[in-house]
């Protein structure tokens, strides 16, 4: 009987040690962290429209998105950004996750609110660029923009 008790105690101890070593102790990701992970990468523009009209000047445009260490924003770099563009920072800038719904909205550094959807291979940005119409760089770029990207 003593051997049975010893074996039982050893098996119980082994079971307790095994369950104590599981990987479940790590904290789960926040919604913002999950979205930042999905957004990170190089994204090539496949379709760009302004008020429903295709914009051919974006055929070579590539966005590179990177998560910032704070976890609340992303940095972006734009390659082949046309001169007439709703992206005011010609080479890159920052996007901030919406505090209320980080899975659907980003805010650009100039306070433009961007609706987005992201999957493993596709990214969609939709926003209204409502800068007052003037002559020069922003003439002809005011309206409803839709950018569809494919992950590279």
């Amino acid at each position: 009987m003593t051997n049975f008790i010893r074996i039982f105690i050893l098996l119980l101890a082994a079971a307790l040690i095994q369950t104590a070593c599981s990987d479940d102790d790590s904290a789960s990701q926040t919604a913002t962290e999950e979205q930042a992970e999905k957004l990170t990468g190089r994204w090539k523009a496949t379709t760009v429209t302004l008020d429903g009209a295709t914009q051919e000047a974006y055929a070579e445009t590539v966005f590179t998105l990177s998560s910032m260490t704070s976890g609340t924003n992303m940095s972006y770099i734009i390659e082949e950004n046309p001169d007439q563009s709703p992206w005011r920072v010609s080479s890159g800038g920052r996007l901030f996750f919406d505090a209320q719904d980080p899975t659907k909205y980003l805010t650009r550094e100039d306070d433009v609110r961007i609706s987005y959807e992201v999957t493993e291979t596709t990214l969609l940005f939709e926003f209204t660029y409502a800068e007052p119409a003037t002559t020069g760089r922003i003439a002809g770029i005011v309206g409803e923009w839709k950018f569809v990207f494919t992950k590279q």
Side-chain angles (χ1 to χ4, degrees):
M1 187 74 166
T2 336
N3 284 338
F4 176 75
I5 292 173
R6 285 183 185 166
I7 292 173
F8 177 76
I9 290 173
L10 285 173
L11 288 174
L12 181 61
L16 290 173
I17 290 170
Q18 185 67 23
T19 58
C21 294
S22 73
D23 291 337
D24 294 340
D25 294 336
S26 63
S28 62
Q29 287 184 315
T30 66
T32 302
E33 290 169 336
E34 287 178 11
Q35 292 303 99
E37 191 174 297
K38 289 179 188 177
L39 288 165
T40 298
R42 283 178 52 86
W43 298 92
K44 177 146 180 20
T46 54
T47 306
V48 178
T49 61
L50 170 58
D51 294 329
T54 301
Q55 302 297 303
E56 300 294 336
Y58 294 88
E60 301 300 319
T61 300
V62 175
F63 269 62
T64 301
L65 294 163
S66 304
S67 180
M68 301 298 285
T69 55
S70 68
T72 60
N73 61 70
M74 304 283 296
S75 67
Y76 64 90
I77 297 170
I78 305 171
E79 299 171 41
E80 303 298 327
N81 188 26
D83 290 335
Q84 294 278 352
S85 175
W87 297 92
R88 292 180 62 183
V89 180
S90 62
S91 61
R94 289 198 178 172
L95 299 170
F96 301 87
F97 286 99
D98 183 83
Q100 303 301 314
D101 197 349
T103 64
K104 292 184 181 178
Y105 298 102
L106 296 163
T107 302
R108 202 167 62 185
E109 68 276 340
D110 60 348
D111 293 325
V112 171
R113 190 167 195 225
I114 300 171
S115 169
Y116 78 96
E117 294 177 26
V118 63
T119 68
E120 298 275 330
T121 58
T122 305
L123 172 61
L124 168 68
F125 280 161
E126 291 183 281
F127 58 91
T128 301
Y129 188 71
E131 190 75 24
T134 64
T135 59
R137 187 177 191 285
I138 54 179
I141 61 171
V142 173
E144 301 290 324
W145 285 89
K146 181 177 180 179
F147 286 79
V148 179
F149 299 94
T150 301
K151 195 158 199 177
Q152 299 293 290

